[in-house]
Amino acid sequence: MQPDAGPFTAMPQDLKRPMIHIVKALEDTIGAPPISGISLMDMKWRQPEIKRTKTVCTYCGVSCSFEMFTRDRQILKVQPVVEAPVNGISTCIKGKFAWDFVNSEKRLTTPLIRENGRFREASWDEALDLVARRLLDIRDMHGPDSIGFIGSSKASNEEAYLTQKIARLIVGTNSVDNSSRYCQNPATKGLFRTVGHGGDAGSIEDIEKADLVIIVGSNLSENHPVIASKVKAAKKHRGQKLIVADLRKHEMAERADIFMRPKASTDLVWASTLARYMFDHGYADTEFLNSKVNQVEEYRKSLEPFTLEFAEEITGIPREQLIEAGEMIGKAKSVCLLWAMGITQHSHGANTSTALSNLLVVTGNYGRPGTGGYPMRGHNNVQGASDFGCLKNMYPGYEKVTDDKVRAKWAKAWGVAPDELSDQVGEDNFLMVQHAKEGKVKAMYVIGEETAFSDADSTNVHEAFTKLDFLVVQDIFLSRTAEFADVVLPGCPSVEKEGTFVNTERRIQRFYEVMPPLGDSRPDWRILTDLAARMGHDWGYNHPSEIMDEVAGIAEIFAGVTYERLEGWKSLSWPVKADGTDTPLLYTDGFHTDDGKAVLFPLEWEKPAEEADGEYDLILDNGRMLEQFQSTNQTGRGPRIWSLSPNWFVEVSPELAQELGISEGTWLEVTSRRGTVEVPAVITDRVSGRDLFMPIHQGKPGINKLTGEHHDPDVNTPAYKETAVKVRVMDRTMDHSPLPPENFRNGHRTPMAGVEVEVKWRQDDYVQPPQHTSRPERF
Ligand SMILES: Nc1nc2c(c(=O)[nH]1)N[C@H]1C(S)=C(S)[C@@H](COP(=O)(O)OP(=O)(O)OC[C@H]3O[C@@H](n4cnc5c(=O)[nH]c(N)nc54)[C@H](O)[C@@H]3O)O[C@H]1N2
Ligand SMILES: Nc1nc2c(c(=O)[nH]1)N[C@H]1C(S)=C(S)[C@@H](COP(=O)(O)OP(=O)(O)OC[C@H]3O[C@@H](n4cnc5c(=O)[nH]c(N)nc54)[C@H](O)[C@@H]3O)O[C@H]1N2
Ligand code: SF4
Ligand SMILES: [Mo]
């Protein structure tokens, strides 16, 4: 070591000597070079001030877990660790950096009550008393089903459980739902019909193990990035095969062995055609079908119309490519099929999800390692919100509200007579909004969901909200939905409380309190417990583990779940037996149906509810970007993430750009049958022909000004992806690309790369209810 070299040269003499001795001594004992020595020493000195806490990401359904390093409220860094069961040392940009929202000055820190059309601050006692009184009054006057609850897919399992417990036990209604109505319910329905459980068939490890992965209508590398990186690695290192079916040439499409580009809303046709191909070419797993599957012949008959010719005509996928895909699937030893919003957000999403699951059943791709159907769950806890009972027809653990035995069991556990619990299926998100508009639903309680922005046909939703007698919104920000509220209750985010989340592979993980709640905000479970007490039900929970113990004692699929078994980095995948045995891979001993057999479910293809015509001649695909999350209520609170994609835009194919005579940055007026928005164009071959694509995150009116009320009749999921539009070229062009130069998407740098773009973080003005929501006093 050269004592006078390196970092010590500029140090005063009197400090230099002892420092050098310390570093030398350190190097002698631990063998670290001087710079690491200083860093280690520095860390040791600061250690007492730095807190390290395990948490689980608050964004997508992958549920990465990591350590968060904090000093008081300052988040110093996110440190992934090898022990993390899902992600190990990986995270995506959001898990690593999108935490500015936690200390945002826009956080709600005190309850608000609307008075004379404006919000004023209120104490918790006043706000909770008011909510309790109004809900009980409305229940007594208009009946239990005049009140609807939306549970949060961001909040914990324990919080979802309490949401439905208040709805069912105290109010007496089954009208409780969560954001899976917007995304995964069609997939769940497809799985219920064919294999029985409403969750991914196996684990992320199974996806990695598969011989062939098929990704349909899912932009995996932006929306489930850590799973995408595992698929990329399996392909690179093990030669795993990849088929992608999507309208858009996204990153996984570019990496695929076969990239099929069907016409929008036609996936049921190619999936059923490939199922027929399996039977016709000896690839159907006859042994599996004979011993483990019902309705084989009936289903096979239903496949008659699905010839290669028919498929080519309807889907536009060339016959040769269909055969190539059929051969690849038929020959693969194990297949995992992943699907998401490109399938479910259509008017027949449940049927198409069923068709995809049928294809897996025909080829025997369930119940073995490396096989199965995997709807990619959206929010960090959208799986848990459904699992823990925020559904109109199920108690926690998918136990039917219409089953007398089930109701008797829950009534006993909750200490009431069975007839005090409703045996009527309740209303979902969609029906609550419709009936609010018609004046039948009088009150809603929305927890951690940006319904006013996220639900389809937002103008219609806003109208419904203004008709309600009473609206409670419990969020961490004054959201667009909160603008319509009568009472706003400040919940707090995952890092300020304890609880558990369930991820896309049914894995339950614990998260711990990183820092105390900001201001006067409170964990949602505490708010709901306090509210219940004011409504006459003193549950007395002091910790979320007590809530989990209660559920585990009642719902069979959680029988063995305890906080001890989930301590630290440990996790459990449901169903969990009483002895703690969990089930990462489902269906190894048969299917979750009455006789243990899978079902092949016959289907017909139906046209989409909204199609392009002479006037609205383009189809508007829409979806997500890696850097933003949904309404951006969380990713829009700090420049680090927001600045990577601050502008709204519409992707236009080079062919269409030529036809319209536009260049990058030209503003377009995009008009659907519902409304109009103005956005600049990005010209890219990610979209082809007459398809457009718009992200769903930016813009105050939001994309849902354009989308419509049409929905899947099986599950009431909005057909967001079936939106026909027309465009008008405006006399305005941005002097740079709408994408910042550093936004390097799929290797397509924008033509304006290098131009300085002014980036601000989301400036919003949602601090007071705007004009259109100010109404006469309602209490
Ligand atoms: N970065 C980020 N990640 C997220 C989210 C986020 O906001 N930001 N949100 C989370 C949530 S809530 C969800 S539900 C998931 C959603 O995850 P994804 O389903 O991956 O979400 P989308 O971006 O809507 O992508 C849908 C894909 O379907 C394609 N598609 C559209 N129509 C069709 C069709 O008819 N056929 C086929 N084959 N493809 C079609 C689109 O081109 C697009 O590539 O993401 C989660 N992860
Ligand atoms: N056009 C179009 N529209 C779509 C879609 C699409 O693809 N296209 N996708 C749809 C889909 S799949 C979904 S899931 C919906 C998503 O819709 P939303 O569920 O509305 O998604 P977010 O905007 O993330 O809203 C979550 C809210 O929870 C709050 N929050 C976060 N953590 C907590 C907490 O711990 N407690 C409480 N109380 N609040 C919390 C956040 O501040 C935020 O306001 O959007 C749907 N809308
Ligand atoms: S992949 Fe999903 S869970 Fe993991 S860090 Fe990114 S957003 Fe969070
Ligand atoms: Mo979602």
Side-chain angles (χ1 to χ4, degrees):
M1 175 179 162
Q2 295 296 316
D4 278 327
F8 303 113
T9 28
M11 217 177 241
Q13 268 307 326
D14 54 338
L15 264 182
K16 206 187 275 180
R17 198 145 298 280
M19 199 71 174
I20 289 168
H21 282 304
I22 293 169
V23 172
K24 178 105 179 69
L26 232 160
E27 195 196 28
D28 290 347
T29 47
I30 67 170
I35 294 293
S36 323
I38 294 171
S39 162
L40 277 174
M41 228 160 45
D42 184 57
M43 212 172 95
K44 268 222 138 23
W45 284 333
R46 287 171 201 269
Q47 209 67 27
E49 296 169 37
I50 297 176
K51 190 177 159 213
R52 296 161 64 148
T53 318
K54 181 218 167 174
T55 192
V56 179
C57 184
T58 184
Y59 289 107
C60 86
V62 180
S63 281
C64 297
S65 54
F66 30 74
E67 277 190 331
M68 199 171 254
F69 285 42
T70 48
R71 189 186 294 118
D72 302 323
R73 293 199 63 86
Q74 196 189 355
I75 297 170
L76 301 171
K77 74 166 169 176
V78 161
Q79 176 76 60
V81 299
V82 280
E83 295 90 337
V86 178
N87 54 307
I89 55 166
S90 314
T91 69
C92 82
I93 188 171
K94 294 183 294 306
K96 189 89 180 156
F97 299 113
W99 296 97
D100 290 339
F101 77 89
V102 174
N103 289 313
S104 160
E105 57 185 35
K106 296 270 168 83
R107 277 278 304 279
L108 285 170
T109 53
T110 180
L112 304 172
I113 291 179
R114 182 193 292 268
E115 210 167 69
N116 301 322
R118 296 182 76 76
F119 287 127
R120 67 161 171 85
E121 295 190 349
S123 70
W124 274 105
D125 278 339
E126 188 190 4
L128 288 175
D129 279 343
L130 177 63
V131 174
R133 179 168 60 77
R134 291 289 286 145
L135 291 181
L136 292 175
D137 283 354
I138 291 172
R139 181 197 64 183
D140 294 344
M141 202 180 304
H142 302 286
D145 294 333
S146 66
I147 304 178
F149 290 79
I150 308 283
S152 177
S153 307
K154 285 261 160 271
S156 69
N157 295 322
E158 294 75 7
E159 291 163 344
Y161 176 75
L162 295 190
T163 306
Q164 61 86 43
K165 189 171 175 183
I166 289 183
R168 296 197 155 105
L169 174 65
I170 305 183
V171 174
T173 182
N174 285 314
S175 294
V176 53
D177 206 356
N178 74 85
S179 83
S180 69
R181 184 70 44 201
Y182 301 138
C183 53
Q184 290 296 356
N185 279 41
T188 307
K189 180 102 185 177
L191 294 175
F192 281 155
R193 280 175 177 168
T194 50
V195 287
H197 271 304
D200 287 2
S203 66
I204 296 169
E205 238 178 82
D206 285 293
I207 300 175
E208 285 181 274
K209 270 185 214 153
D211 212 23
L212 166 66
V213 167
I214 310 176
I215 303 175
V216 187
S218 140
N219 182 0
L220 201 70
S221 58
E222 300 207 56
N223 301 332
H224 300 90
V226 166
I227 298 182
S229 63
K230 293 187 187 233
V231 174
K232 291 181 216 170
K235 183 160 183 24
K236 190 166 169 193
H237 301 304
R238 263 198 330 98
Q240 183 182 65
K241 292 272 187 282
L242 178 63
I243 299 179
V244 168
D246 206 289
L247 307 190
R248 228 171 142 231
K249 193 165 42 142
H250 50 53
E251 188 190 341
M252 298 313 275
E254 288 194 341
R255 290 171 181 264
D257 297 289
I258 301 177
F259 170 40
M260 303 193 287
R261 218 169 198 173
K263 289 185 199 150
S265 320
T266 64
D267 297 81
L268 186 145
V269 175
W270 66 255
S272 303
T273 301
L274 291 184
R276 182 179 159 161
Y277 189 91
M278 299 303 136
F279 283 113
D280 292 351
H281 294 82
Y283 291 126
D285 187 338
T286 24
E287 204 184 306
F288 181 87
L289 292 174
N290 289 341
S291 60
K292 296 184 174 166
V293 183
N294 287 325
Q295 291 188 183
V296 180
E297 274 320 304
E298 196 183 336
Y299 172 71
R300 197 174 168 170
K301 258 212 188 84
S302 76
L303 292 177
E304 259 166 40
F306 294 100
T307 59
L308 289 166
E309 294 69 32
F310 178 67
E312 183 167 12
E313 182 198 326
I314 301 291
T315 67
I317 303 171
R319 182 194 158 94
E320 301 70 45
Q321 199 178 35
L322 288 166
I323 294 173
E324 201 191 339
E327 289 294 317
M328 193 177 275
I329 297 169
K331 287 183 178 135
K333 291 193 189 73
S334 56
V335 180
C336 283
L337 199 156
L338 284 49
W339 75 97
M341 303 303 100
I343 293 304
T344 58
Q345 291 176 340
H346 289 271
S347 47
H348 305 291
N351 282 354
T352 310
S353 299
T354 311
L356 294 172
S357 188
N358 279 340
L359 177 60
L360 290 167
V361 173
V362 169
T363 48
N365 276 302
Y366 270 114
R368 287 182 289 121
T371 65
Y374 297 77
M376 290 284 104
R377 301 288 153 171
H379 279 292
N380 57 313
N381 202 39
V382 64
Q383 181 72 46
S386 295
D387 298 346
F388 283 77
C390 288
L391 288 176
K392 63 177 176 180
N393 54 348
M394 310 270 197
Y395 283 95
Y398 299 95
E399 301 183 1
K400 290 192 180 124
V401 298
T402 46
D403 181 328
D404 289 342
K405 275 205 228 103
V406 165
R407 224 174 34 259
K409 179 177 86 167
W410 284 90
K412 188 168 172 226
W414 287 344
V416 293
D419 59 8
E420 286 187 48
L421 299 178
S422 169
D423 59 357
Q424 300 295 309
V425 170
E427 298 197 345
D428 51 44
N429 235 319
F430 175 79
L431 288 175
M432 285 178 211
V433 168
Q434 296 313 308
H435 290 160
K437 227 172 112 183
E438 292 163 18
K440 284 191 248 163
V441 165
K442 302 283 183 190
M444 282 179 70
Y445 193 139
V446 180
I447 306 176
E449 187 186 277
E450 188 50 303
T451 317
F453 182 81
S454 305
D455 202 349
D457 196 359
S458 50
T459 313
N460 182 47
V461 177
H462 296 182
E463 198 187 322
F465 281 166
T466 54
K467 295 236 167 92
L468 288 170
D469 285 351
F470 191 60
L471 174 64
V472 185
V473 171
Q474 187 168 309
D475 203 291
I476 60 173
F477 289 104
L478 193 69
S479 59
R480 281 99 153 168
T481 312
E483 289 179 12
F484 295 88
D486 295 284
V487 179
V488 181
L489 300 174
C492 61
S494 56
V495 292
E496 295 174 6
K497 59 192 177 191
E498 278 204 51
T500 58
F501 291 145
V502 189
N503 79 346
T504 189
E505 39 165 13
R506 297 170 283 104
R507 187 189 295 274
I508 311 168
Q509 300 184 83
R510 262 180 88 171
F511 58 90
Y512 295 82
E513 186 184 291
V514 177
M515 61 184 80
L518 183 69
D520 222 0
S521 68
R522 291 183 181 174
D524 297 85
W525 65 267
R526 218 175 252 294
I527 302 173
L528 296 169
T529 305
D530 291 347
L531 178 65
R534 283 174 163 80
M535 295 173 91
H537 290 251
D538 193 358
W539 296 332
Y541 304 117
N542 285 309
H543 191 267
S545 61
E546 296 162 14
I547 304 171
M548 183 59 93
D549 289 343
E550 178 176 315
V551 196
I554 320 172
E556 209 179 306
I557 66 170
F558 304 123
V561 179
T562 64
Y563 266 44
E564 291 69 41
R565 289 190 175 132
L566 296 170
E567 184 81 53
W569 303 100
K570 286 187 260 176
S571 62
L572 294 165
S573 302
W574 65 254
V576 185
K577 292 201 186 113
D579 65 3
T581 315
D582 73 343
T583 324
L585 178 62
L586 294 173
Y587 316 126
T588 50
D589 309 322
F591 291 90
H592 191 61
T593 50
D594 290 344
D595 63 0
K597 286 188 172 186
V599 177
L600 278 171
F601 194 96
L603 299 158
E604 279 172 27
W605 180 68
E606 289 170 74
K607 284 189 166 193
E610 180 162 302
E611 291 182 288
D613 62 12
E615 188 181 359
Y616 298 94
D617 56 337
L618 305 167
I619 288 292
L620 178 67
D621 187 3
N622 53 87
R624 296 151 178 80
M625 299 177 73
L626 171 70
E627 311 84 9
Q628 302 297 353
F629 202 89
Q630 298 296 140
S631 63
T632 76
N633 280 354
Q634 289 165 277
T635 49
R637 307 291 172 180
R640 280 194 295 187
I641 290 295
W642 180 244
S643 62
L644 294 171
S645 49
N647 297 315
W648 207 11
F649 58 86
V650 56
E651 287 184 350
V652 178
S653 72
E655 309 93 272
L656 186 60
Q658 198 171 19
E659 187 186 317
L660 296 170
I662 59 164
S663 52
E664 183 96 352
T666 305
W667 283 78
L668 296 177
E669 193 184 76
V670 180
T671 305
S672 76
R673 294 181 175 102
R674 271 75 46 186
T676 297
V677 300
E678 295 175 6
V679 278
V682 165
I683 297 166
T684 169
D685 65 0
R686 280 191 293 276
V687 287
S688 82
R690 304 181 70 74
D691 288 345
L692 303 172
F693 175 86
M694 271 170 80
I696 62 171
H697 311 291
Q698 302 88 345
K700 180 158 185 194
I703 181 103
N704 288 313
K705 205 177 159 190
L706 302 177
T707 56
E709 259 186 284
H710 49 294
H711 57 276
D712 184 337
D714 279 327
V715 278
N716 289 351
T717 297
Y720 294 104
K721 305 280 201 266
E722 283 173 12
T723 304
V725 295
K726 58 183 173 190
V727 296
R728 189 178 69 82
V729 179
M730 297 174 74
D731 192 16
R732 214 166 11 133
T733 301
M734 279 178 110
D735 56 3
H736 53 72
S737 166
L739 284 170
E742 62 270 34
N743 194 310
F744 192 79
R745 311 190 71 73
N746 296 1
H748 297 261
R749 235 178 212 290
T750 68
M752 303 300 287
V755 175
E756 277 294 310
V757 181
E758 189 199 359
V759 280
K760 292 192 206 121
W761 62 94
R762 200 179 95 169
Q763 301 289 331
D764 51 19
D765 50 339
Y766 317 122
V767 284
Q768 286 298 338
Q771 213 55 47
H772 68 273
T773 62
S774 54
R775 298 160 294 182
E777 254 350 81
R778 295 185 292 184
F779 42 83

